[in-house]
């Protein structure tokens, strides 16, 4: 199965 | 003091329809550059970035950078009261907890004011890094919308693969499977009917169709959509807004466990 990743994993908070 | 006059008011109406189902509340930022927004959906899987450049407004006054929290559903309710040909002016005063939308009919015989309450939103701003994409697909937005809709009747996820053969959209579900392949096609009468595939490296990524279908609500904004893909990075689905800016949707991929 595949797992939904989150956008915050790729883009950092500024 | 803030005063933004948009002659083609329908653009703002379309922008709200494009994003209001994905994002409930968002901060609109106003600066010398333009009127912009960045927001994530409630599950932090997708992100929307909007820019309407100041040059695209007939009149643009923004004395200082300001961030205004709005409920997009309420904003949409108000903008639905503007006619499609109306000129829309957004007005705000420093320190005020409301914003005013003024709608003027093209013949100036009807002028309406709608005042909306602002809200405090504690939102996170994300830095979106510049990326080299493995593949960029430019295609008619209506075709992309049709593909997402068709595939979602079969499965929940779409695999988007770009190879030298073209771009393939695949899904699989309880009733069966579907594959739609588009090849590059530039021999069309109108540029907005072309499919252009730029590939630096083959790429294949899996995404939730529910989000893709939500992004296609931006279809009325632009005849073309650009899909940028890189392995293990969110896809960017971009709708350009004629001479003004863009709505970009970023969607995190599904990753094999």
């Amino acid at each position: 199965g595949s797992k939904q990743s989150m956008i915050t994993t790729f883009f950092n908070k500024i | 003091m803030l005063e933004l006059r948009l002659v083609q008011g329908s653009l703002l109406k379309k922008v709200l329809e494009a994003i209001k189902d994905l994002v409930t509340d968002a901060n609109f930022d106003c600066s010398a550059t333009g009127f912009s927004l960045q927001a994530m959906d409630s599950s932090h899987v997708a992100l929307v970035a909007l820019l309407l450049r100041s040059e695209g407004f007939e009149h643009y006054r923004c004395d200082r950078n300001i961030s205004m929290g709005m409920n997009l559903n309420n904003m949409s309710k108000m903008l639905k009261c503007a006619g499609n040909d109306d000129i829309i002016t957004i007005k705000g005063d420093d320190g005020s907890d409301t914003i005013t939308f003024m709608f003027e009919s093209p013949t100036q015989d009807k002028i309406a004011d709608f005042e909306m309450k602002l809200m405090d939103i504690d939102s996170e701003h994300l830095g979106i890094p510049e990326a080299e994409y493995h593949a960029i697909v430019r295609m008619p937005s209506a075709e992309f919308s049709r593909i997402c809709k068709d595939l979602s009747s079969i499965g929940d996820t779409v695999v988007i693969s770009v190879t030298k053969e073209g771009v393939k959209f695949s899904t699989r579900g309880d009733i069966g499977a579907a594959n739609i392949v588009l090849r590059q096609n530039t021999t069309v009468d109108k540029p907005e009917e072309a499919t252009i595939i730029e590939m630096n490296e083959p790429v294949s990524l899996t995404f939730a169709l529910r989000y893709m279908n939500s992004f296609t609500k931006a279809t009325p904004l632009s005849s073309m959509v650009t899909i940028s893909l890189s392995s293990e990075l969110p896809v960017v689905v971009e709708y350009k807004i004629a001479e003004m800016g863009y709505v970009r949707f970023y969607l995190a991929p599904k990753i094999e466990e």
Side-chain angles (χ1 to χ4, degrees):
Chain A
S2 57
K3 182 171 159 259
Q4 177 65 60
S5 60
M6 284 167 75
I7 208 92
T8 41
T9 310
F10 305 94
F11 301 159
N12 294 324
K13 288 172 198 171
I14 50 171
Chain B
M1 174 78 185
L2 172 96
E3 199 167 289
L4 319 179
R5 184 176 156 92
L6 183 62
V7 173
Q8 210 182 333
S10 60
L11 284 181
L12 194 60
K13 287 163 68 80
K14 289 176 188 171
V15 163
L16 259 288
E17 291 315 294
I19 63 178
K20 78 173 165 66
D21 293 340
L22 192 66
V23 176
T24 314
D25 302 316
N27 281 316
F28 281 86
D29 298 313
C30 199
S31 72
T33 312
F35 193 60
S36 65
L37 167 149
Q38 190 201 87
M40 279 184 282
D41 77 298
S42 59
S43 51
H44 292 193
V45 167
L47 179 141
V48 54
L50 161 75
L51 174 64
L52 298 174
R53 289 187 198 92
S54 52
E55 300 84 45
F57 291 82
E58 190 207 36
H59 171 71
Y60 190 93
R61 180 179 170 187
C62 174
D63 295 345
R64 62 182 181 89
N65 291 359
I66 184 168
S67 189
M68 295 168 293
M70 303 192 205
N71 174 283
L72 298 192
N73 200 35
N74 293 346
M75 189 175 172
S76 163
K77 278 184 195 168
M78 295 207 168
L79 292 179
K80 275 187 178 161
C81 302
N84 279 329
D85 301 328
D86 282 3
I87 298 163
I88 299 181
T89 304
I90 303 170
K91 289 182 185 182
D93 286 318
D94 285 347
S96 169
D97 58 358
T98 62
I99 192 162
T100 299
F101 300 106
M102 188 174 87
F103 310 142
E104 292 169 74
S105 66
T107 48
Q108 308 280 314
D109 53 357
K110 180 180 173 189
I111 295 170
D113 274 288
F114 285 72
E115 189 183 273
M116 189 177 79
K117 289 177 186 163
L118 295 176
M119 56 198 293
D120 282 324
I121 300 167
D122 204 13
S123 73
E124 291 167 343
H125 218 76
L126 300 182
I128 301 168
E130 286 287 318
E132 291 273 327
Y133 285 96
H134 290 168
I136 299 173
V137 178
R138 210 172 116 82
M139 62 185 284
S141 60
E143 182 66 66
F144 178 63
S145 176
R146 173 76 197 265
I147 290 171
C148 292
K149 185 167 163 281
D150 287 350
L151 294 185
S152 60
S153 65
I154 314 289
D156 297 329
T157 60
V158 58
V159 180
I160 307 179
S161 312
V162 183
T163 62
K164 60 181 186 346
E165 314 302 328
V167 55
K168 184 166 80 170
F169 301 87
S170 310
T171 194
R172 185 168 289 281
D174 294 342
I175 63 165
N179 295 293
I180 300 169
V181 177
L182 296 184
R183 294 204 171 85
Q184 170 145 299
N185 178 11
T186 53
T187 58
V188 287
D189 294 340
K190 297 174 196 159
E192 65 267 26
E193 291 169 358
T195 299
I196 299 159
I197 302 167
E198 277 175 53
M199 188 194 77
N200 298 318
E201 271 182 59
V203 60
S204 182
L205 286 161
T206 306
F207 300 101
L209 273 168
R210 184 166 71 88
Y211 289 96
M212 286 290 182
N213 267 312
S214 173
F215 303 164
T216 63
K217 300 222 161 98
T219 304
L221 279 169
S222 180
S223 60
M224 298 293 287
V225 62
T226 306
I227 304 159
S228 304
L229 300 143
S230 255
S231 320
E232 300 182 14
L233 268 189
V235 61
V236 191
V237 179
E238 180 184 57
Y239 295 84
K240 287 223 182 328
I241 303 170
E243 287 149 39
M244 282 210 81
Y246 55 78
V247 179
R248 288 179 189 150
F249 298 101
Y250 296 83
L251 178 59
K254 297 196 104 178
I255 291 168
E256 285 302 315
E257 282 187 290

